[in-house]
Amino acid sequence: MEKHYLHHLAPGFDRSAVLEELMSQYGEDVWNFAYFLTRQREAADDIAQDAFLAAYNSLYSFRGEASVKSWLLGITRYKALGYLRNAFVRRVVLMGSFREDGASASAEQVAFERMASREVWDTVLELPRKYREVLLLAYHFGLKTEEIAAALGLPEGTVKSRLSRARKKMSECWSRREDGRHEYEQA
């Protein structure tokens, strides 16, 4: 059950404690969303920090019209788009490699599952941003259509349309990959 922080923000309440709890509960989601939008770890660090600072500064303005998670992800999106619009960043190619940190899998099945998962996320990263972000919010973060609409500032119909098109594009990408594999195997 999600907490509604607005009810706890009486005058004189310690906003720092609320921020600490928000960062603890949603920090990973905010960072992951920033990373998937920018494809850069350093940028995701900065954007997550900026998003939480913005949330801290506007805690009293949170009206509860959306979930806290979708509110924070909306702030993160806004900060990430600002970063991507920056003239310096536009001149830099944002094609950093998607590396998975951590130890190697010891079991063959786990290794195959990770490879499949990585292929899926690599395919998602190839999509245009507007499709990538709705897929991430829906499937990775588990937001409902109305929460995605609130986070992105879009009508629900637009979100549904983008989700449908994103699924279609994913299917097309997978078909092309499968066709390429079959050609390779036949050669």
Side-chain angles (χ1 to χ4, degrees):
M1 178 107 178
E2 185 171 292
K3 294 182 180 182
H4 291 281
Y5 296 93
L6 182 65
H7 301 290
H8 303 290
L9 292 176
F13 188 83
D14 184 9
R15 290 188 314 162
S16 298
V18 173
L19 178 64
E20 196 172 311
E21 190 169 336
L22 286 173
M23 290 174 69
S24 173
Q25 188 167 356
Y26 300 108
E28 187 175 334
D29 290 339
V30 166
W31 188 92
N32 285 333
F33 190 46
Y35 175 75
F36 280 113
L37 291 174
T38 63
R39 302 180 195 178
Q40 293 183 350
R41 292 180 186 279
E42 296 81 15
D45 291 341
D46 292 342
I47 291 166
Q49 183 177 7
D50 288 348
F52 279 112
L53 181 61
Y56 177 82
N57 289 329
S58 59
L59 278 176
Y60 290 111
S61 67
F62 176 68
R63 295 182 303 264
E65 294 172 352
S67 69
V68 173
K69 185 176 189 175
S70 61
W71 177 65
L72 284 170
L73 293 176
I75 293 171
T76 304
R77 177 182 182 261
Y78 176 79
K79 295 295 182 183
L81 293 178
Y83 172 83
L84 292 170
R85 278 192 287 268
N86 182 314
F88 173 74
V89 174
R90 279 188 296 220
R91 288 186 223 129
V92 177
V93 178
L94 300 175
M95 298 297 293
S97 63
F98 181 86
R99 292 185 328 214
E100 186 174 318
D101 295 330
S104 300
S106 59
E108 187 175 287
Q109 182 63 31
V110 174
F112 283 126
E113 287 174 8
R114 284 187 181 171
M115 284 175 31
S117 176
R118 183 176 172 150
E119 279 187 47
V120 169
W121 288 114
D122 283 346
T123 304
V124 169
L125 287 171
E126 292 172 10
L127 296 175
R129 188 193 75 242
K130 67 182 182 179
Y131 300 130
R132 190 171 63 233
E133 66 188 4
V134 294
L135 283 176
L136 289 168
L137 291 171
Y139 296 108
H140 183 73
F141 296 111
L143 297 183
K144 297 176 187 166
T145 305
E146 58 269 10
E147 292 177 314
I148 297 170
L152 301 180
L154 297 171
E156 282 186 54
T158 302
V159 171
K160 289 177 183 177
S161 173
R162 285 186 183 180
L163 277 170
S164 175
R165 288 184 183 133
R167 287 185 203 109
K168 183 178 179 186
K169 287 193 174 292
M170 286 290 292
S171 178
E172 291 169 358
C173 287
W174 281 106
S175 292
R176 281 194 304 272
R177 284 184 182 198
E178 288 300 315
D179 290 345
R181 286 185 187 147
H182 292 301
E183 289 175 15
Y184 176 76
E185 290 170 358
Q186 292 174 355

